[in-house]
Amino acid sequence: MLEGARVLLLLLALLPGAVAVPAAARAAPAPGTAAPEIAKQLTDVASKDPAVQEAAAMALGKTGNRKILPLLEALREGSVYVHVSRGNRGTVIVGDKVTDGERTLVPLFSAYGREPVTGADGKPLLVELSALEEVSAGRSLRLALRPLIDAFSGQSQLANPDPGVRRAAATKMGNAGDAAATPALAEALGRETDRWARHAMEEALALIGLRSSDDAARAGGAARLGSLRSVNALDRLRDIAADSSTAASVRQAAGEAAKRIERWSLVTTTLELAFQGLSLSSILLLMALGLAIVFGLMGVINMAHGELMALGAYATFVMQGWFQTHLPGSFDYYFLAALPFSFAVAAAAGLVLERGVIRHLYGRPLETLLLTWGVSLIIQQGLRLWFGAANVDVTAPRWLSGGIPVMVGVQLPYNRLFIIGLAAVCVAGMYLLLFRTAAGLRIRAVTQNRGMAACLGVRARRVDAFTFALGAGLAGLAGCALTQIGNVGPELGQNYIVDSFMVVVTGGVGKLLGSILAAVGIGGLNKIIEPSLGAVYGKVLILVAVILFIQRRPSGLFAVKGRHADA
């Protein structure tokens, strides 16, 4: 009897909890179910009254709920409909159309979270499109939806593992200037560890503050943009500083920030020009290295050297096409294969040119010049016939896309860094070849005294052929590198042959160090002069400067030695 009483008391104690659990389960919203206030807005967004519809869409957008984003995107694309089922009207998103005979069926998705709508059998529900009522979005609503969608997208991208994605999302949100994005940006800034992503988020918050209705917030945003050296905000700051209807404190802060950014922009522009000049100098150096050795060794003025460069560029284009066809999964590695391939193609063409024609014209510089000029025209026309007269497109691999941000407003592109590195490797290779190998010793011997070298058993003709092929191969490498920063067309070589000869003459014929210094000087001057005088007048001015320099130093920076000097 006592035992039965204990069991009864235990059951009575557990009874309230047993009743409470189902009650709590019934009170909790089912998965994918919207709260009552959001449900009402989902209904209003399908209203035929544009004012009610836009107000509902804006209210949904300001909730910050990620499950609203599919509806906003579908509303802007025109894929939102009203579905009537058993007398109940519901806002739905339709999927891709399916044709069933003469009927057009569409799958339905919920407006909240875009979850598939299923039938009684649990399978996705397909209904006739004609049975649905289309929800039309006017131009005003579509324009209003765009910043809301951008804000949603930006908030999700702020948590992306890639710092570049986070940085781009913050920049986009700052340009939109929506104050609703402030909490998300502030939260992301608190956990951000990447320097440049933090800078972008701080800049975005300052840009949003600049659009505030509060003068103190605007002045603070302007001052912060100035301290961040935000080039993106420069035009806005100038407009605010010149707007007489703006408060004096805001105008003053905007003006001081604009001046600070302008001073910083002058520094960054100078650094960018110097870096671009260095990358151009690297191209000229690759061109001039081979040209200088050939001219110094054989006294040949090779007017087809630019076309050998073009052959290297087109060889890169061919290698790209081969990888796209046969190795699409390894496409990013095509450029590594193109480097030796372009060298080999240009070197083979140079060897054929030297063996077939030039070897019969040594000692006749005028005939050699005219001959190589004619060869350059033949190669140009051959490229036109084979690849067409229009420029061809060479796509940069992903590992050469983008750049390294080194300071605010200055980013060093990977492709130009690679070109500078390639030129450095080629210069080091040429130095080792000329001064640390037996082949280099023979080249220097023939360059300095061909007759004596021949008496010592050096086969001068073989050295000539090897050197000409080497110079042509370096031109092919220059063409391969140029595909990453310039256009590839049949007349590519004509744009660089004059500059290359200026490098050779200014540096001193056959002088490695002279070629390096001349390439850096001429390439840098090109980039410095072009912004103010233009490309044509810039080249004219550089040509005049080279002529005046040669008048004072006919032998270039370093005097030439060998048989040409003794002649």
Side-chain angles (χ1 to χ4, degrees):
M1 184 70 179
L2 182 61
E3 187 68 24
R6 288 179 179 176
V7 173
L8 180 61
L9 289 173
L10 182 61
L11 290 174
L12 290 174
L14 293 176
L15 184 58
V19 174
V21 171
R26 287 194 299 269
T33 303
E37 61 273 13
I38 294 181
K40 182 180 182 305
Q41 292 159 357
L42 292 175
T43 303
D44 290 344
V45 85
S47 172
K48 295 185 181 300
D49 186 346
V52 175
Q53 186 186 37
E54 185 169 344
M58 298 299 290
L60 288 170
K62 291 180 179 179
T63 62
N65 192 328
R66 288 289 304 165
K67 291 189 174 183
I68 299 299
L69 178 58
L71 174 65
L72 299 180
E73 292 176 336
L75 192 60
R76 193 163 184 265
E77 296 169 359
S79 56
V80 176
Y81 287 76
V82 173
H83 178 228
V84 181
S85 176
R86 298 178 182 177
N88 296 323
R89 297 170 57 86
T91 307
V92 296
I93 302 172
V94 302
D96 296 333
K97 298 177 183 179
V98 178
T99 303
D100 181 16
E102 297 181 355
R103 299 189 306 166
T104 301
L105 305 178
V106 289
L108 302 183
F109 299 88
S110 64
Y112 184 73
R114 204 178 188 276
E115 297 179 358
V117 177
T118 57
D121 56 357
K123 296 181 179 180
L125 183 63
L126 292 175
V127 300
E128 287 194 50
L129 185 62
S130 59
L132 302 174
E133 298 178 15
E134 183 178 2
V135 177
S136 60
R139 182 175 181 274
S140 174
L141 177 58
R142 290 198 302 271
L143 292 176
L145 287 173
R146 182 168 185 175
L148 293 175
I149 295 172
D150 290 345
F152 269 110
S153 302
Q155 289 175 21
S156 64
Q157 291 171 350
L158 288 177
N160 192 286
D162 186 357
V165 175
R166 299 197 300 270
R167 186 167 64 247
T171 301
K172 190 175 183 179
M173 295 169 74
N175 291 333
D178 187 4
T182 301
L185 283 168
E187 181 184 355
L189 180 61
R191 63 173 183 266
E192 185 56 62
T193 57
D194 182 75
R195 173 188 176 187
W196 301 108
R198 286 186 62 85
H199 181 274
M201 292 173 187
E202 292 176 356
E203 183 183 54
L205 288 170
L207 284 169
I208 292 173
L210 194 63
R211 294 189 176 185
S212 172
S213 57
D214 181 52
D215 289 341
R218 297 186 71 190
R224 185 58 180 152
L225 289 169
S227 63
L228 291 171
R229 302 177 180 90
S230 173
V231 179
N232 295 331
L234 184 57
D235 291 337
R236 299 180 192 178
L237 292 170
R238 286 171 176 167
D239 293 341
I240 292 173
D243 187 1
S244 58
S245 62
T246 305
S249 59
V250 179
R251 290 203 311 272
Q252 181 180 359
E256 292 175 354
K259 291 179 181 178
R260 188 172 183 180
I261 295 172
E262 287 169 353
R263 290 193 295 268
W264 182 254
S265 297
L266 183 61
V267 175
T268 58
T269 301
T270 303
L271 292 176
E272 285 180 347
L273 286 176
F275 181 71
Q276 291 176 7
L278 186 59
S279 60
L280 176 61
S281 301
S282 301
I283 297 290
L284 293 179
L285 181 58
L286 288 174
M287 282 280 289
L289 277 178
L291 197 61
I293 294 173
V294 169
F295 192 17
L297 177 65
M298 295 174 285
V300 174
I301 303 175
N302 182 17
M303 294 300 294
H305 201 71
E307 277 56 48
L308 296 174
M309 176 186 183
L311 285 177
Y314 275 101
T316 305
F317 173 72
V318 171
M319 182 60 68
Q320 171 190 260
W322 189 88
F323 265 75
Q324 286 175 335
T325 304
H326 297 91
L327 295 173
S330 304
F331 178 76
D332 281 338
Y333 301 103
Y334 88 87
F335 193 69
L336 297 178
L339 286 170
F341 182 63
S342 60
F343 180 91
V345 168
L351 184 62
V352 171
L353 179 61
E354 195 279 335
R355 284 291 191 182
V357 181
I358 292 179
R359 66 182 304 181
H360 304 294
L361 298 175
Y362 287 134
R364 300 159 64 181
L366 180 60
E367 287 87 341
T368 306
L369 187 150
L370 293 175
L371 172 71
T372 53
W373 179 61
V375 170
S376 72
L377 296 179
I378 293 172
I379 295 176
Q380 278 187 44
Q381 190 59 33
L383 293 175
R384 286 194 186 93
L385 292 174
W386 190 265
F387 297 100
N391 292 340
V392 298
D393 182 33
V394 177
T395 305
R398 281 182 295 182
W399 54 276
L400 284 181
S401 302
I404 303 174
V406 293
M407 56 195 303
V408 178
V410 178
Q411 179 171 309
L412 304 183
Y414 290 129
N415 55 359
R416 292 184 180 272
L417 286 172
F418 180 82
I419 291 171
I420 295 172
L422 178 64
V425 170
C426 289
V427 169
M430 289 299 298
Y431 175 82
L432 293 175
L433 173 66
L434 292 176
F435 299 100
R436 294 290 185 272
T437 66
L441 180 62
R442 288 191 292 269
I443 291 174
R444 288 185 288 125
V446 173
T447 301
Q448 293 177 13
N449 195 316
R450 177 181 290 266
M452 182 60 69
C455 292
L456 294 174
V458 176
R459 303 180 65 175
R461 291 297 190 188
R462 180 173 293 181
V463 172
D464 290 340
F466 171 78
T467 307
F468 201 94
L470 177 63
L474 289 173
L477 273 183
C480 181
L482 188 63
T483 59
Q484 302 303 304
I485 61 173
N487 297 322
V488 178
E491 298 180 359
L492 170 67
Q494 297 299 309
N495 299 326
Y496 292 90
I497 186 65
V498 175
D499 287 344
S500 300
F501 271 112
M502 286 195 295
V503 169
V504 172
V505 174
T506 305
V509 177
K511 296 299 178 179
L512 188 60
L513 180 59
S515 298
I516 295 172
L517 296 178
V520 172
I522 292 176
L525 283 176
N526 260 311
K527 288 300 178 182
I528 292 172
I529 296 174
E530 278 183 10
S532 55
L533 297 180
V536 176
Y537 288 107
K539 285 190 179 297
V540 170
L541 184 59
I542 291 175
L543 183 59
V544 171
V546 169
I547 292 173
L548 294 177
F549 175 80
I550 296 301
Q551 291 290 327
R552 297 294 302 271
R553 294 184 65 89
S555 299
L557 290 172
F558 298 94
V560 66
K561 296 179 181 179
R563 65 188 179 94
H564 297 299
D566 298 334

